[in-house]
Amino acid sequence: MRLGLITALSALLWTSIAAAQPAVEGRWTLVIHGGAGVIERDRLTEAQDSEIRTALTEALETGSAILRNGGSSMDAIEATVRVMEDNPNFNAGRGAVFTYDGDIEHDASIMDGTTRSAGAVTGSTQTRHPVTLARRVMTNSPHVFLSGSGADQFSAEQGLEQVGNDWFETDRRREQLEAMRAAETAGLSDYRADFKYGTVGAVAVDLNGNMAAATSTGGMTGKRWGRIGDSPVIGAGTYADNRGCAVSATGTGEYFIRVGVAHEICTQIRVRFEQRLAEARASVPMDGDGIPEYYVHASEFGLAESDIQEIADAVLAEMAGLGGSGGVIVATPWGTGTYSFTTPGMYRGMAGSEIEASIAIYGDE
């Protein structure tokens, strides 16, 4: 009986260790977004619709190829976001929106779910790929978050590709700024257009069960006074933790910051997993000596997709209740992925070893 008790305690110890790493190895998943907002069919021409779907497809396949071939989730999300930063259809990199003063400033963040290491930048102006700069902050500096001229200086010292600020400009974004200024002059202080969507992001789990998340944006058209949204804020717009999930957000950043949306989703997933695992273990029948007849290991257990969707929807509903809007993409250690958004549409895509690749724009897709 003593031997049986030792065996049981040993098994429970190893089960507890496994609980910290619930990932199902051998599966990969990639989920991407290109922003959420008033994205409706009558707002996009057929050509714009086609261009955006092509851009999302290119980004999704870039990251998928890395994951499919055994690459890391960190490499996959960085490469995916870089593709979108170079595409003027999105509010990131080339095609980012203008500040009130007519400049372009970038925010980006990245996080490794294995170690919870993170890097972020805000107000960078010369780096072609802000997401790569965020990763360098994580790997090559003692800090998590750099801003403005300091971020630019660090980028140059790291030898990252530099471009003139005008390289990021597009006519469409200039027209949006001018329309906002004209509305302000006319006294329409509540004027709104498609200024908020376009932020890009990617979340992934690789074949080794490691998770990562990244987000990149130009912020909000006409932003002033050094405004910073949620995209570069770890825990608000980006978060990754192998024990829970990886999240990238897009929308009205002030509200995502107040709720801590990305971290809140990950925490709720992690807690629910631990609760369900405990319930499963408690339901195991005992033999005559009071020893469990079998053991439920964390690696053999996971949350259903419906649980993930419910949690993401609930956190966004809380954020919406405060007055915010937007969306999130989520990948889990169990190889599942999901979207949740409170807006009419969100540019999005998903692929995986057990998920057929798909691209969508509108809410009814």
Side-chain angles (χ1 to χ4, degrees):
M1 181 172 176
R2 181 178 177 81
L3 179 61
L5 180 59
I6 293 174
T7 302
L9 290 174
S10 177
L12 286 173
L13 172 62
W14 284 107
T15 300
S16 297
I17 293 172
Q21 298 289 338
V24 178
E25 294 187 7
R27 297 181 185 176
W28 64 267
T29 303
L30 175 65
V31 192
I32 67 173
H33 73 75
V38 185
I39 305 172
E40 298 170 325
R41 295 180 190 279
D42 61 353
R43 285 177 172 257
L44 295 178
T45 66
E46 185 175 336
Q48 288 173 326
D49 182 295
S50 177
E51 280 184 15
I52 292 164
R53 290 181 191 274
T54 298
L56 290 170
T57 299
E58 180 186 0
L60 189 66
E61 179 51 34
T62 296
S64 295
I66 292 172
L67 294 167
R68 191 183 299 123
N69 292 321
S72 73
S73 54
M74 286 292 293
D75 287 345
I77 62 168
E78 180 187 359
T80 299
V81 170
R82 283 171 62 102
V83 169
M84 292 190 282
E85 287 176 336
D86 275 347
N87 192 298
N89 283 292
F90 305 112
N91 174 19
R94 189 162 189 266
V97 298
F98 286 88
T99 68
Y100 191 85
D101 294 328
D103 301 314
I104 293 178
E105 298 176 351
H106 298 106
D107 300 337
S109 59
I110 195 166
M111 188 166 184
D112 184 342
T114 308
T115 60
R116 279 180 282 171
S117 297
V121 294
T122 184
S124 72
T125 62
Q126 306 293 327
T127 305
R128 177 174 175 177
H129 293 114
V131 70
T132 297
L133 175 54
R135 188 173 183 181
R136 288 294 183 89
V137 172
M138 182 186 79
T139 59
N140 291 16
S141 87
H143 309 300
V144 170
F145 207 161
L146 299 183
S147 67
S149 60
D152 284 339
Q153 179 183 346
F154 178 76
S155 176
E157 291 175 357
Q158 288 293 303
L160 300 184
E161 183 177 358
Q162 307 293 296
V163 294
N165 196 250
D166 59 354
W167 185 86
F168 301 109
E169 296 184 10
T170 60
D171 291 341
R172 182 168 72 97
R173 297 304 190 187
R174 176 69 70 180
E175 290 166 2
Q176 287 178 349
L177 176 64
E178 291 173 353
M180 191 207 75
R181 285 174 170 171
E184 184 178 69
T185 300
L188 302 176
S189 60
D190 62 344
Y191 177 72
R192 294 291 184 272
D194 62 340
F195 299 161
K196 294 176 183 174
Y197 62 82
T199 293
V200 303
V203 295
V205 57
D206 60 32
L207 291 174
N208 293 316
N210 294 322
M211 312 203 70
T215 311
S216 181
T217 187
M220 182 182 293
T221 294
K223 62 183 181 181
R224 305 178 74 175
W225 311 298
R227 179 262 185 188
I228 301 170
D230 66 304
S231 295
V233 178
I234 301 300
T238 302
Y239 201 75
D241 183 344
N242 279 11
R243 301 172 301 170
C245 68
V247 177
S248 174
T250 176
T252 47
E254 284 72 10
Y255 295 91
F256 280 80
I257 292 171
R258 289 164 60 182
V259 176
V261 167
H263 183 271
E264 182 69 14
I265 290 173
C266 284
T267 298
Q268 289 196 27
I269 289 175
R270 178 167 59 86
V271 170
R272 185 174 297 191
F273 168 76
E274 292 169 353
Q275 291 173 338
R276 294 286 171 80
L277 182 59
E279 291 168 0
R281 289 171 175 167
S283 69
V284 175
M286 302 290 184
D287 63 16
D289 293 324
I291 305 300
E293 294 184 359
Y294 58 88
Y295 300 99
V296 179
H297 289 264
S299 61
E300 302 169 337
F301 191 84
L303 292 183
E305 290 184 38
S306 58
D307 284 308
I308 309 303
Q309 191 70 56
E310 178 186 329
I311 289 169
D313 290 347
V315 174
L316 281 194
E318 178 185 355
M319 180 271 302
L322 297 177
S325 65
V328 295
I329 53 175
V330 183
T332 75
W334 309 288
T336 56
T338 194
Y339 322 104
S340 181
F341 49 98
T342 65
T343 51
M346 181 166 76
Y347 301 148
R348 60 200 188 276
M350 187 186 305
S353 54
E354 299 182 15
I355 301 171
E356 183 178 355
S358 62
I359 295 295
I361 294 178
Y362 311 108
D364 58 4
E365 292 185 84

